[in-house]
Amino acid sequence: MATQKLQIKTAIQILKPAQQVFEAIVDPAKMSNYFISESSGPMEAGKTVTWKFPEFAETFPVRVSNVEPDKSLSFFWDGTDGTELQVEIALAPTGNQATVVTITEKEMDNNEAGLTWLMGNTAGWANFLACLKAYLEHGINLRKGAFDFMKPGV
């Protein structure tokens, strides 16, 4: 019997139009208000950008594969074990200028390493969505100081 692959899928509704949600995801100046501390540039198809998070010393290359303005984007990045993982972000407009944001990340083997990835990155993407919602709807940066306890030497 083949080992089933694991993937993450999480979603949230944000009370903003898809265009505003999309811009907050692809524009590093906006993204630094709720997710990363810095980026080497905007997310554009065919480009590799480098993300830096406030609680980690290392940087993370993000290989952007597809961008459909106000609808979706996808990128690849490497898991902690070097596995290339694909992230897909879909935006679905709903009534009253709201947008459902769905994030799918795939895939890892159904083993101990895969389960560790599943737990950690599921929590990470749920946090991303909550932070995106708080930023867009209320101008709040939920991430500021939230993960300082993870910094080396703390």
Side-chain angles (χ1 to χ4, degrees):
M1 183 171 167
T3 303
Q4 181 180 359
K5 296 287 188 175
L6 301 172
Q7 76 174 14
I8 295 166
K9 189 167 191 175
T10 188
I12 199 167
Q13 180 171 281
I14 297 176
L15 303 178
K16 292 292 178 181
Q19 187 274 332
Q20 287 182 19
V21 176
F22 179 81
E23 286 301 316
I25 295 170
V26 299
D27 181 348
K30 292 180 175 143
M31 192 183 271
S32 66
N33 289 305
Y34 69 90
F35 187 53
I36 58 174
S37 58
E38 59 188 77
S39 174
S40 62
M43 296 185 77
E44 298 173 343
K47 297 215 173 167
T48 297
V49 297
T50 302
W51 285 351
K52 171 103 176 61
F53 293 88
E55 63 274 9
F56 302 115
E58 58 269 1
T59 58
F60 300 86
V62 174
R63 300 171 296 283
V64 184
S65 56
N66 186 46
V67 176
E68 290 185 60
D70 308 339
K71 294 182 180 178
S72 67
L73 65 118
S74 62
F75 62 87
F76 292 88
W77 62 355
D78 298 328
T80 55
D81 67 351
T83 301
E84 184 177 67
L85 302 168
Q86 182 179 25
V87 177
E88 298 170 338
I89 302 175
L91 308 177
T94 60
N96 282 340
Q97 300 293 308
T99 305
V100 174
V101 182
T102 303
I103 298 176
T104 305
E105 183 173 7
K106 53 192 174 185
E107 62 189 14
M108 293 279 287
D109 287 332
N110 188 355
N111 57 26
E112 189 172 332
L115 291 172
T116 299
W117 162 80
L118 185 72
M119 289 186 301
N121 283 27
T122 298
W125 287 119
N127 179 268
F128 170 90
L129 290 172
C131 291
L132 175 62
K133 182 175 178 68
Y135 168 66
L136 286 174
E137 292 182 12
H138 306 287
I140 299 169
N141 184 344
L142 291 179
R143 194 170 177 99
K144 186 175 183 180
F147 298 101
D148 286 352
F149 70 95
M150 296 175 71
K151 291 180 180 177
V154 174

